[in-house]
Amino acid sequence: MTNYTPPALAGRRLPNRWDGVALLLVMGLLIGLVDVGRGTIATPIAAIQNTPIHLDPSYLPYYALRSTARMFAALFFSFTFTFTYATLAAKSRRAGMVLIPILDILQSVPILGFLTFTVTFFMALFPGQVMGAELAAVFVIFTSQAWNMAFSFYQALTTLPTDLQEVARSFRLSPWQKFWRLDVPFAMPGLIWNTMLSMSGGWFFVVASEAVTVGNTTFALPGIGSYVATALAQRNVAAIGYAIVAMLVVILLYDQLIFRPLVAWSGKFRFETTASVSAPEPWMLKLLRRTAVLRAIGDAVSAALEAVFRLRLGAGVRVQIDENREPSRIVDGVWFGVIALVAAYAGWRIVDFVAASLQWHDLGTAVLMGAYTMTRVIVLMSVAAVVWVPIGVWIGLRPGATRIAQPIAQFLAAFPANLLFPPVVIAIVYFHVNASIWLSPLMLIGTQWYVLFNVIAGAAAFPGDMKEAVANFRVRGWLWWRKVMIPGILPYFITGALTASGGAWNASIVAEVASWGNKKLVAQGLGAYIAQATNNGDTARVVLGVVVMSVFVIVFNRILWRPLYAYATRRTTLG
């Protein structure tokens, strides 16, 4: 058959019917972004102060669009933080000694207690404008996303196989090239899963982030969080149900449009020497590959990024720096001295501030409350490990189950704990049970998923060649768990458990105090101690509670999680 295709079009793909579908999706996204920008940029703060939050479900699509835009803006800053902070902590031993404990504290300290200060700061940057309040909300969502992603990336960088690092040295890759051609691809499978969980974690705090208070002025940013807060204040059960349905729809949409294609794409970065069974492509990935226009745009963007990643920044260095060289003891001594001086000065200022209004027995009370909360954290983390590790391994080893469980787990992880306050409070009051015990599971609602998602990521990234070797040797039962799977997922599990324990401390400020209408229940613990001090405006007790919580977290992590993490890095790193 004669080919009549003009020479100028030979080798090119013409637009097809799939381009029409992609065009509708792109146009919808652009219209949504323009609508969000219209309600944010250069909008006076009085515009939202005079506009109440409507509980009519017809407003939910617009509110969902605003909340989702804030979450993706926070996700952009979370990626920036992850690629800089975690890389510095992993590449520099001295920096890691400071940055990792700071990260432990940041993910554990309830940032909601400092929301007023952050709002004041951002409002001062944009006086009288909505942009300041929007940035404050994005910052709160950022604090619920960044720590988990940073720990995941740090875990990947510290468990890089030694043979891959030797290959990078052999090719004399510059630090910039090694980062984009080895570090980021190796970390991508686990980072994508933790990014999904971070998005869900943003929903957990979206209620607090969208209800902004500055001095005596309170206003609510348009969004699902403000919708839920208004529904809870008015005890409107039907509106709470509408909000749950809206959250489910939004989560399913960005799961199908963004995260499911990303998970499939990240599968090519799995570290293995044999070809694994390929899972069916998501429909969105098929659409992107079949559209001529979008594929051409994607190829152009990919080529531009590839050119940037290949830049040999620092090419003047001919000899590859040995990252395992013996450190200088003199520099270590100076570094430790500087850290000790800074820590001593900070401790002196804190003690001087707290001692002005509190006594020694207040410290004893805070420590006792910290012991109560720590007991809850230990018990709940043990329960989460026993329940979710086997389930996560089962899901991660089965791509079909992963596709089904992925959106369900995202929705459950996104479910705000305060939506469960009404039935929990009513049940505790009705059955006359101990609130200090039965409020504890609320701490686990938003944090248990860190364990599940990381275990799924670890099982999904398990090398296919090792699976074949284990199957050939017929390793089964407890021996399979002890010698194969637990060592294989241990770095991922520890990362998830470390983040989950920090999240449980953070969630204690919400979970240890629950109310519904006129009924208010308080559990004994450090979270309730900080929450009550915040409500009373007692800054000294807030500072004392935060310091005690930070000490508990650092000691707990140094005694348990850090030794386990060092063991996992030393004994279970492939290569």
Side-chain angles (χ1 to χ4, degrees):
M1 181 179 294
T2 305
N3 184 7
Y4 293 101
T5 303
L9 298 179
R12 298 184 183 180
R13 298 188 61 184
L14 296 176
N16 52 49
R17 64 181 183 275
W18 299 104
D19 285 283
V21 179
L23 180 63
L24 292 176
L25 293 176
V26 173
M27 290 301 296
L29 176 62
L30 292 177
I31 292 173
L33 291 177
V34 170
D35 194 21
V36 170
R38 186 189 308 157
T40 301
I41 301 175
T43 302
I45 199 69
I48 62 172
Q49 286 179 300
N50 299 327
T51 304
I53 298 297
H54 301 277
L55 294 185
D56 189 330
S58 62
Y59 286 87
L60 273 173
Y62 174 69
Y63 292 160
L65 179 64
R66 295 291 295 266
S67 294
T68 306
R70 295 184 190 106
M71 295 181 68
F72 276 99
L75 195 64
F76 170 78
F77 292 110
S78 297
F79 268 110
T80 304
F81 175 85
T82 296
F83 286 154
T84 53
Y85 191 99
T87 302
L88 182 59
K91 300 295 184 181
S92 173
R93 183 181 60 89
R94 299 186 183 97
M97 293 177 182
V98 180
L99 297 181
I100 294 304
I102 291 177
L103 196 60
D104 290 337
I105 295 173
L106 288 176
Q107 70 156 346
S108 307
V109 172
I111 197 67
L112 300 183
F114 304 100
L115 183 58
T116 302
F117 304 105
T118 58
V119 169
T120 303
F121 170 76
F122 286 109
M123 291 297 293
L125 293 179
F126 298 90
Q129 295 184 6
V130 174
M131 180 61 73
E134 290 283 355
L135 290 178
V138 169
F139 176 77
V140 174
I141 299 173
F142 163 84
T143 61
S144 65
Q145 295 178 345
W147 323 139
N148 173 52
M149 296 169 60
F151 268 121
S152 173
F153 196 64
Y154 173 80
Q155 172 257 322
L157 295 184
T158 54
T159 56
L160 266 172
T162 54
D163 49 358
L164 292 183
Q165 298 189 56
E166 289 296 333
V167 170
R169 292 191 183 97
S170 300
F171 282 100
R172 297 187 179 277
L173 297 182
S174 68
W176 175 262
Q177 292 173 321
K178 180 176 179 291
F179 178 78
W180 290 110
R181 302 183 69 83
L182 175 60
D183 297 344
V184 174
F186 181 79
M188 194 56 65
L191 184 59
I192 293 298
W193 275 97
N194 279 279
T195 301
M196 290 190 294
L197 183 55
S198 293
M199 281 291 291
S200 298
W203 288 107
F204 194 82
F205 287 96
V206 76
V207 175
S209 67
E210 293 180 350
V212 181
T213 301
V214 181
N216 296 324
T217 304
T218 300
F219 52 88
L221 295 170
I224 291 183
S226 298
Y227 185 94
V228 169
T230 304
L232 289 173
Q234 299 181 11
R235 303 180 70 176
N236 191 327
V237 179
I240 294 175
Y242 295 144
I244 293 174
V245 173
M247 287 175 53
L248 176 60
V249 171
V250 172
I251 291 170
L252 288 175
L253 282 175
Y254 68 62
D255 172 71
Q256 292 291 323
L257 298 178
I258 298 176
F259 285 124
R260 191 157 296 210
L262 284 177
V263 169
W265 170 76
S266 67
K268 68 179 183 178
F269 298 118
R270 292 173 55 185
F271 177 63
E272 55 188 6
T273 57
T274 60
S276 59
V277 179
S278 59
E281 282 189 349
W283 68 270
M284 186 62 187
L285 196 57
K286 292 180 180 179
L287 174 64
L288 293 175
R289 289 177 176 174
R290 291 177 180 177
T291 56
V293 176
L294 289 185
R295 186 168 183 177
I297 295 174
D299 291 341
V301 173
S302 177
L305 292 177
E306 186 71 15
V308 173
F309 297 159
R310 286 182 177 178
L311 291 176
R312 193 169 183 82
L313 301 182
V317 181
R318 292 194 171 187
V319 180
Q320 184 73 28
I321 298 175
D322 184 7
E323 298 176 352
N324 297 319
R325 66 185 185 278
E326 189 69 21
S328 171
R329 294 185 179 181
I330 298 177
V331 176
D332 278 351
V334 174
W335 178 247
F336 293 147
V338 172
I339 295 174
L341 289 176
V342 173
Y345 176 75
W348 172 72
R349 293 301 300 269
I350 291 173
V351 170
D352 183 63
F353 174 77
V354 172
S357 56
L358 299 181
Q359 306 296 327
W360 282 105
H361 66 85
D362 293 303
L363 175 61
T365 301
V367 172
L368 179 61
M369 294 300 102
Y372 286 137
T373 301
M374 185 179 68
T375 302
R376 290 192 184 95
V377 171
I378 293 174
V379 173
L380 294 175
M381 289 305 305
S382 301
V383 172
V386 171
V387 172
W388 292 117
V389 167
I391 295 176
V393 169
W394 188 87
I395 294 174
L397 294 178
R398 293 165 175 82
T402 303
R403 291 193 299 272
I404 297 174
Q406 180 179 322
I408 297 175
Q410 286 186 73
F411 173 70
L412 294 176
F415 199 86
N418 49 5
L419 294 185
L420 295 178
F421 285 178
V424 170
V425 172
I426 293 172
I428 291 176
V429 172
Y430 180 81
F431 290 105
H432 298 91
V433 294
N434 192 335
S436 295
I437 296 177
W438 294 101
L439 282 179
S440 300
L442 293 177
M443 294 171 58
L444 197 60
I445 290 174
T447 61
Q448 59 186 335
W449 312 110
Y450 292 107
V451 177
L452 176 62
F453 271 65
N454 279 276
V455 171
I456 291 176
F462 197 80
D465 47 359
M466 293 193 67
K467 293 180 186 177
E468 293 184 7
V470 169
N472 291 335
F473 283 103
R474 300 181 184 275
V475 180
R476 298 186 179 91
W478 173 241
L479 181 64
W480 179 81
W481 281 99
R482 185 166 57 91
K483 294 294 186 180
V484 179
M485 188 48 58
I486 290 180
I489 66 169
L490 189 58
Y492 293 87
F493 167 74
I494 293 175
T495 299
L498 179 63
T499 311
S501 63
W505 283 97
N506 198 330
S508 65
I509 194 173
V510 178
E512 291 181 350
V513 179
S515 61
W516 174 245
N518 297 325
K519 298 182 178 66
K520 184 175 183 180
L521 300 177
V522 179
Q524 287 185 315
L526 197 54
Y529 180 90
I530 296 174
Q532 290 175 325
T534 302
N535 293 334
N536 297 332
D538 192 343
T539 307
R541 282 186 169 80
V542 171
V543 173
L544 178 62
V546 169
V547 170
V548 170
M549 181 178 287
S550 302
V551 172
F552 267 102
V553 170
I554 291 176
V555 172
F556 188 69
N557 289 349
R558 289 298 168 184
I559 292 177
L560 178 62
W561 295 124
R562 289 304 163 194
L564 282 176
Y565 194 89
Y567 172 81
T569 304
R570 185 175 64 252
R571 299 293 299 274
T572 65
T573 299
L574 297 175

